[in-house]
Structures are given as structure tokens and as C-alpha cells.
């Protein structure tokens, strides 16, 4: 990373290449990273069958930025560098800027059917948050503020695909890292070159397919623990000593079923192992400051939480459309209980629109001059609470049909096909189209990909108990409490009224 002129904070790094193309993205993944899958080191994820479909889908979406029909929506002209950059990297300075980001993210997530939780649009908004928080980081150390701005500019002017790492290893959550330092990523050394970190981060979604990872702390890990566990930094995923372990892929199976969702949208979740990794000083944004880390966690995620709602709205719309098509295909769409279920799903989708509108209406300027959406904490908790219900509605409507559908090879078999056409057709839909529809419904609700997506909705917004407690603690009850206490303090009024 080439640093900017820190006196002005303007310009672009010398390495700036502008908007990614699909081909450039594929080529840049061949960077010598230490990536493992099923006990094998993967030389280039863009060429491996477990990763290639998801890489190709990301590449397709990145190419849309260059399409004249979509360029003005998906990109913007950066006045400092003169380059066209991804809209998601644009720091919004007005409500209209924020709404432009919304429309851009809506387009991206509609193309991906709401299945890309860690889309480039999501992670770019966190880089914008780091850019916004640079002044506070600089108060702790002027270098850190300059580093944060330089990293943001580097990511934006090269259109990098990012991942982030928050969770520490799930070893023993009842223990304290001060007693067992392997429980959390930690700084083991500082030297002239930078800091050396040792440990691991879990559930780093998209890491096998990203250029860089941003490491910062969840609020759960900043209290009552040693200062060596508090650090923010960013690194390329091919950094020496950084090992990426991908989980089992969810987009393929050996028995002939097509997996159009799992193949395209399995973002991969990974463990990151930091084997005494050197983080250069220019890549360090925060060090040994738990209070600043807690404040920053909320601040830098303001835009990503908003974009996350845009993505979740599209996922709900996909579930609703799937449930409706399934109901129509088997002739139950006129049943009162089915319509009630579909109405519930439609209500969920519409509520996400209200939440987005409210976030815009309650937005305002940050201390660095960016326009941030209003707090979305309560709506994030709601989204996690209803996620399982949304999936269950699709599962309930499809019922046993989700479990038994012919494969492409079954449909091609001359002995089987007459039976399939006769007994596995639907209302107004032939056996082949019905099987494809029901397999998509199964992917969304029942197979490994669907179960992963469902679990993701529950966990990725953070600890629900902690989030509910935080909402309770900061909710202003003063007026209602005062009115009630006024009644409590006037028992004579009640006695007088009884006479």
C-alpha cells in the first residue's frame, strides 16, 4: 500500500487501478496466499471447483460497474483521484448521497437475490466507516488516523474486495484470555517495523475470495481483558504467516442435483490463523485502547448495518417469491392459512423498508462531516428474531415436496420420465420446471447452504442478548417513568376518587 500525502489527505495511491473488472479480480486472487480446503493447499481459488462459481458470480457483478446502463448507479467520479470508483466506497455527505448508496446496494443485492451477506458493497461501507472515524483514531495516535485514511483510499481506488474478522476462537468462553492467551488474538511484540500478532479469528466470511481482511474487536472482547488483545489493523490475505482454512463447500453434491444458489453464493467462512504475523505500522489503526475500540465498533459499522438491511430486505423478497411460486405450483395459494403465511412474509419485507426509511429520516452528520444513517440496533435484533420464521414459512408451504424431487439425470431417464411427467408435475407446471423450483426452495431452507444462510442471519448481527441489553440501557424512559412515578407519589388522589 502506498501512503497518501498525509498533510492533505488527498490524491490516490500510486498503485491506484480504479474499478475492478471480473478478469482482474480473478487474476488478483492468484496471489500466493496460504489457503487450505479439506487438507489441501489451494493455489488459486478462482480456478478451484469449490470456489470458482462464487468467484465467477462476483466477477459478473463487478463487470456490471462497467456497463453503460448501470455505471452511473454503481459508480461515482472521485474528484481527488479523477477515477470512477465503486458507489459503495463513496463517503456520503448528504441524505441524497446516502440514498444513492441505497439504490446502488438494492441493485447489487437484487442481482444476488439477497444471498451475499458479505458483498463488496457491505464491506466497502465499513471502509467508509474507518475513513469517517480517522479523526478519533488520530487523537490516540496521529499515525493511526493517517493510516486509516490511507487504507481507505487504497481500497477505494483499487476497488478491493474485503473481508473482516471479529470473533475469537470458540475454545472456552468461560475462561479469561489472561489465563489462556490462545483464547484471543493478541500482540506479542512491537518493533521498528510494526506489531507482531499471534492467535486466530473465526468465521471470517469471504476471506478465501477477498483481497484484504480488516481485523477489529467486537465489544464483547474489550472489557476486563489485557491491553494486548486490543488492536485494529488490515492486511492482505497473502501476508506471510497468515493461514486461511476454508470450511466444507456448500455448493456441490455428487448425485446430480443442481445447486444454483449454493454454487453462486456460497461466500465461504474461514478460520484465520496468525502465525506470528508482522503487521507493518502503516497498517495499524488502533492499539491498546479498549474504550476507543468500543466507541469505534458502533461508528464504523453505521453504514454497513444500513446496507445489511438492504440485503436482508432482498432475501425476504426472495423467500416470499419462492413461497408464492411453490404454493401456486401445488394449488394451495388460495388456502386461507397459506395466504396468512404469505402475508406474514410480505409484512416482514415491508417492515425492512420502514426501517431503512427511518434510518434515513433519523440520520445526521458525524463529527467528520459524513451523513450517517440513524441507529438501527432495534431493527437488527428484530431481523434476527424473525429470520427463522421466514424460512419456516417456505418450509411449511413446500412440506414433503421439498424432500423428494427428481435430478436432471432422473428427468433424462426414458424409464422414469413418463412417471415423473404424470405424478411429479404441478398445477400448470411440468415436472422439470417444478423440480427446479422446489430444489431452489430446498436450497433456501433445508440443505447445507440454506441452513448456513439461516444460521448466518441469527449470528452475524452479534450477540442478541447483549444487543437487547444495550438497547434497554440506552432507551430514554425518563418521561414515561416521571409520569408513572407522579401517580405512585399521589395515593391520596386515588382515595379521593373512591369516595
Amino acid at each position: 500500500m502506498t501512503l497518501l500525502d498525509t498533510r492533505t489527505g488527498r490524491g490516490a495511491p500510486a498503485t491506484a487501478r480504479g474499478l475492478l473488472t471480473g478478469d482482474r479480480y480473478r487474476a488478483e486472487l492468484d496471489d500466493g496466499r496460504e489457503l487450505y480446503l479439506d487438507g489441501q493447499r489451494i493455489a488459486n481459488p478462482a480456478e478451484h471447483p469449490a470456489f470458482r462459481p462464487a468467484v465467477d458470480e462476483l466477477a459478473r457483478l463487478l463487470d456490471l460497474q462497467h456497463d453503460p446502463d448501470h455505471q452511473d448507479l454503481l459508480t461515482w467520479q472521485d474528484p481527488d483521484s479523477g477515477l470512477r470508483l465503486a458507489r459503495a466506497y463513496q463517503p456520503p455527505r448528504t441524505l441524497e448521497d446516502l440514498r444513492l448508496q441505497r439504490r446502488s446496494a438494492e441493485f447489487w443485492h437484487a442481482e444476488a437475490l439477497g444471498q451475499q451477506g458479505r458483498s463488496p458493497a457491505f464491506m466497502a461501507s465499513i471502509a467508509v466507516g474507518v475513513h469517517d472515524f480517522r479523526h478519533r483514531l488520530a487523537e490516540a495516535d496521529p499515525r493511526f488516523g493517517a493510516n486509516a485514511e490511507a487504507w481507505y483510499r487504497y481500497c477505494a481506488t483499487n476497488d478491493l474486495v474485503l473481508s473482516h474478522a471479529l470473533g475469537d476462537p470458540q475454545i472456552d468462553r468461560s475462561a479469561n484470555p489472561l489465563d489462556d492467551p490462545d483464547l484471543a488474538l493478541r500482540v506479542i511484540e512491537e518493533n521498528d517495523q510494526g506489531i507482531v500478532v499471534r492467535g486466530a479469528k473465526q468465521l471470517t466470511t469471504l476471506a478465501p475470495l477477498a483481497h484484504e481482511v480488516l481485523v477489529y474487536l467486537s465489544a464483547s472482547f474489550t472489557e476486563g481483558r489485557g491491553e494486548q488483545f486490543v488492536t485494529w489493523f488490515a492486511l492482505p490475505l497473502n501476508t506471510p504467516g497468515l493461514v486461511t482454512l476454508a470450511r466444507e463447500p456448500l455448493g456441490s453434491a455428487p448425485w446430480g442435483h443442481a445447486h444454483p444458489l449454493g454454487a453462486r453464493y456460497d461466500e465461504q467462512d474461514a478460520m484465520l490463523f496468525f502465525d506470528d504475523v508482522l503487521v507493518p505500522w502503516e497498517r495499524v489503526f488502533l492499539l491498546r485502547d479498549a474504550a476507543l475500540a468500543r466507541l469505534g465498533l458502533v461508528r464504523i459499522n453505521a453504514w454497513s448495518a444500513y446496507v445489511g438491511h438492504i440485503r436482508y430486505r432482498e432475501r425476504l423478497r426472495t423467500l416470499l417469491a419462492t413461497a408464492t411460486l411453490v404454493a401456486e405450483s401445488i394449488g394451495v395459494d388460495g388456502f386461507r392459512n397459506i395466504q396468512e403465511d404469505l402475508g406474514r412474509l410480505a409484512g416482514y419485507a415491508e417492515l425492512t423498508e420502514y426501517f431503512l426509511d427511518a434510518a434515513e429520516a433519523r440520520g445526521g452528520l458525524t463529527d467528520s462531516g459524513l451523513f450517517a444513517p440513524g441507529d438501527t440496533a432495534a431493527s437488527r435484533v428484530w431481523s434476527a428474531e424473525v429470520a427463522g420464521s421466514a424460512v419456516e414459512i417456505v418450509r411449511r408451504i413446500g412440506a414433503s415436496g421439498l424432500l423428494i424431487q427428481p435430478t436432471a439425470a432422473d428427468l433424462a431417464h426414458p424409464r422414469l420420465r413418463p412417471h415423473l411427467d404424470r405424478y411429479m408435475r404441478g398445477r400448470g407446471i411440468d415436472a422439470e420446471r417444478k423440480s427446479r423450483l422446489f430444489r431452489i426452495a430446498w436450497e433456501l431452507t433445508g440443505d447445507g447452504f440454506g441452513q448456513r444462510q439461516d444460521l448466518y442471519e441469527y449470528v452475524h448481527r452479534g450477540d442478541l442478548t447483549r444487543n437487547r441489553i444495550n438497547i434497554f440501557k440506552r432507551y430514554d424512559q425518563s418521561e414515561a417513568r416521571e409520569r408513572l412515578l407522579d401517580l405512585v407519589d399521589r395515593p391520596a388522589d386515588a382515595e379521593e376518587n373512591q369516595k
Side-chain angles (χ1 to χ4, degrees):
M1 180 177 72
T2 302
L3 293 177
L4 306 183
D5 182 344
T6 55
R7 296 166 299 173
T8 65
R10 300 178 66 82
T15 55
R17 302 179 66 187
L19 289 172
L20 270 175
T21 64
D23 286 343
R24 197 181 105 207
Y25 169 58
R26 293 184 186 93
E28 289 175 355
L29 289 177
D30 187 13
D31 58 5
R33 65 187 61 200
E34 195 172 353
L35 169 63
Y36 294 88
L37 172 67
D38 194 29
Q40 301 293 320
R41 183 167 180 177
I42 307 303
N44 181 3
E47 296 180 353
H48 191 279
F51 303 108
R52 187 189 304 124
V55 170
D56 288 345
E57 180 63 12
L58 280 168
R60 181 187 74 83
L61 292 167
L62 290 165
D63 278 337
L64 290 176
Q65 297 179 128
H66 301 269
D67 186 329
D69 291 339
H70 307 305
Q71 189 177 66
D72 288 342
L73 176 64
L74 300 180
T75 71
W76 64 295
Q77 189 79 35
D78 175 29
D80 292 334
S81 66
L83 298 170
R84 291 202 76 86
L85 306 179
R87 177 74 68 185
Y89 276 114
Q90 181 181 5
R93 301 192 178 279
T94 65
L95 175 58
E96 181 53 33
D97 285 346
L98 185 67
R99 287 174 172 164
L100 275 172
Q101 283 202 349
R102 175 174 173 175
R103 292 195 289 273
S104 176
E106 283 173 342
F107 177 90
W108 181 289
H109 287 298
E111 286 285 320
L113 300 174
Q115 302 305 304
Q116 287 182 335
R118 285 299 177 269
S119 70
F122 177 88
M123 284 304 305
S125 67
I126 294 180
V128 169
V130 172
H131 160 75
D132 175 67
F133 201 57
R134 68 193 184 280
H135 302 305
R136 300 302 299 270
L137 297 172
E139 291 173 5
D141 188 320
R143 295 176 301 170
F144 296 161
N147 293 347
E149 175 64 3
W151 179 74
Y152 158 75
R153 293 293 296 167
Y154 175 68
C155 295
T157 57
N158 287 280
D159 201 12
L160 296 190
V161 176
L162 305 175
S163 178
H164 67 165
L166 297 177
D168 288 310
Q170 202 175 39
I171 299 172
D172 182 357
R173 292 293 167 86
S174 69
N176 192 315
L178 292 173
D179 301 321
D180 183 355
D182 286 342
L183 298 179
L185 183 73
R186 65 196 185 279
V187 178
I188 62 170
E189 180 185 339
E190 294 182 34
N191 56 44
D192 292 341
Q193 294 178 287
I195 62 174
V196 178
V197 295
R198 178 185 298 169
K201 286 288 183 180
Q202 77 171 35
L203 204 64
T204 309
T205 300
L206 201 67
L209 312 182
H211 294 98
E212 300 225 355
V213 61
L214 173 65
V215 178
Y216 59 109
L217 285 177
S218 166
S220 298
F221 299 107
T222 60
E223 296 187 37
R225 304 188 180 194
E227 63 179 12
Q228 70 268 32
F229 301 108
V230 182
T231 183
W232 290 9
F233 59 86
L235 286 174
L237 281 152
N238 65 348
T239 298
L242 178 52
V243 179
T244 303
L245 173 64
R247 58 151 168 77
E248 179 182 358
L250 301 174
S252 61
W255 302 114
H257 274 297
H259 291 262
L261 300 182
R264 291 177 176 88
Y265 305 120
D266 184 9
E267 299 177 295
Q268 265 293 341
D269 307 294
M271 289 290 296
L272 296 185
F273 304 114
F274 294 81
D275 190 12
D276 294 2
V277 173
L278 174 66
V279 182
W281 280 118
E282 63 266 25
R283 287 305 196 105
V284 178
F285 310 142
L286 184 150
L287 189 63
R288 306 184 189 283
D289 192 334
L292 188 61
R294 286 194 295 274
L295 174 64
L297 179 68
V298 176
R299 278 285 301 276
I300 72 172
N301 286 312
W303 292 274
S304 67
Y306 173 77
V307 171
H309 270 307
I310 295 169
R311 194 274 314 164
Y312 188 54
R313 186 204 70 155
E314 196 59 41
R315 173 169 165 80
L316 289 171
R317 284 159 54 94
T318 296
L319 290 169
L320 173 60
T322 302
T324 303
L325 288 168
V326 166
E328 291 172 352
S329 76
I330 56 176
V332 300
D333 52 304
F335 293 7
R336 184 176 175 84
N337 62 310
I338 299 297
Q339 291 185 346
E340 181 186 17
D341 276 344
L342 294 174
R344 183 175 291 112
L345 253 181
Y348 293 164
E350 184 140 343
L351 278 170
T352 59
E353 292 275 359
Y354 299 162
F355 293 144
L356 288 165
D357 292 345
E360 292 170 359
R362 298 171 70 173
L365 294 177
T366 69
D367 54 10
S368 75
L370 299 191
F371 192 91
D375 181 46
T376 59
S379 52
R380 293 200 306 274
V381 168
W382 173 87
S383 298
E385 289 173 338
V386 304
S389 174
V391 169
E392 177 58 28
I393 288 170
V394 183
R395 190 182 293 126
R396 188 161 58 240
I397 293 173
S400 60
L402 299 178
L403 296 173
I404 177 64
Q405 290 299 325
T407 69
D410 293 332
L411 289 159
H413 197 286
R415 176 77 172 105
L416 292 173
R417 185 59 186 256
H419 297 295
L420 303 180
D421 287 338
R422 185 171 185 178
Y423 298 115
M424 300 197 76
R425 59 191 169 89
R427 186 186 66 177
I429 185 171
D430 62 32
E432 186 166 345
R433 293 190 71 237
K434 181 185 173 187
S435 71
R436 291 200 296 268
L437 170 62
F438 270 70
R439 286 203 301 269
I440 288 173
W442 174 246
E443 272 198 286
L444 285 169
T445 64
D447 75 354
F449 174 77
Q451 292 299 311
R452 183 268 175 196
Q453 299 297 83
D454 186 27
L455 182 60
Y456 173 88
E457 297 298 347
Y458 186 76
V459 303
H460 90 94
R461 297 172 180 88
D463 184 317
L464 285 182
T465 298
R466 183 194 69 215
N467 291 344
R468 291 187 187 104
I469 291 170
N470 287 341
I471 292 169
F472 163 68
K473 286 183 175 179
R474 66 171 177 261
Y475 189 82
D476 184 2
Q477 300 187 60
S478 56
E479 290 185 9
R481 285 171 60 93
E482 185 175 345
R483 287 192 290 269
L484 286 171
L485 289 173
D486 185 55
L487 289 175
V488 170
D489 292 337
R490 289 188 294 160
D493 292 351
E495 293 174 2
E496 187 68 26
N497 289 335
Q498 290 175 0
K499 293 179 181 179

